[in-house]
Amino acid sequence: MPTTERLDSCNCFASRKAARLITKMYEDHLAPAGLTSSQFALLAHLDEAGSASIKELVEALAMERTSIVRALQPLERDALVDQAVDQNDARRHVISLSAAGRERLQQAIPLWQEAQAEFERIFGAGLAQQMRESIRGLSS
């Protein structure tokens, strides 16, 4: 059943639908590594940042706190991330990538690159870059 005219002209609906379809594409590629797209983003961010608090992850990834906590649970269970008390502030907990997490990320990166290539085959590299730049503008 097609969508209604109102939904077809709605920017919010279009962007959310696109996000769901793109997420599915990436998660199909990441499935052999046993990661969701959110988990991949968390591991990739922690790999580059070194460590981060939940609050910092919320800000960096533009995700809800509950979504981050939910995505971290299996990563902690599988010992892909470590959580520790911040040495400078005992009230603050920081999450970092474990050695197993680095290995899993290295396994997932070629799968993610395949998803990137598929996206760019469908939409073109120029449009993909333009989309990323436009989205970065939303958060600044």
Side-chain angles (χ1 to χ4, degrees):
M1 175 200 283
T3 60
T4 64
E5 187 176 323
R6 184 175 297 135
L7 285 181
D8 280 344
S9 65
C10 177
N11 297 321
C12 182
F13 175 76
S15 63
R16 291 182 62 103
K17 183 176 181 180
R20 288 188 293 272
L21 293 170
I22 294 166
T23 297
K24 183 183 180 331
M25 179 193 335
Y26 275 76
E27 290 191 354
D28 288 348
H29 281 277
L30 290 169
L35 295 174
T36 66
S37 57
S38 294
Q39 291 167 336
F40 177 83
L42 284 164
L43 294 180
H45 181 77
L46 292 171
D47 185 48
E48 291 185 28
S51 66
S53 68
I54 298 282
K55 181 181 178 192
E56 290 167 339
L57 291 171
V58 164
E59 292 169 2
L61 302 176
M63 291 172 64
E64 296 289 327
R65 179 181 178 80
T66 55
S67 297
I68 288 183
V69 169
R70 197 170 41 251
L72 281 171
Q73 288 171 342
L75 298 177
E76 287 184 84
R77 178 197 66 219
D78 296 343
L80 301 179
V81 295
D82 297 317
Q83 192 168 152
V85 174
D86 187 328
Q87 296 175 359
N88 300 322
D89 184 351
R91 298 168 297 174
R92 183 174 179 261
H93 288 202
V94 292
I95 298 141
S96 59
L97 205 54
S98 69
R102 266 191 196 75
E103 287 178 28
R104 182 74 64 91
L105 180 61
Q106 291 308 308
Q107 176 190 0
I109 286 174
L111 303 171
W112 170 78
Q113 289 170 328
E114 290 172 9
Q116 290 280 95
E118 180 179 346
F119 185 92
E120 290 186 6
R121 266 194 312 279
I122 294 169
F123 297 102
L127 183 58
Q129 181 177 349
Q130 183 182 359
M131 180 197 69
R132 290 189 306 271
E133 289 171 1
S134 295
I135 292 169
R136 271 193 291 274
L138 290 174
S139 60
S140 53

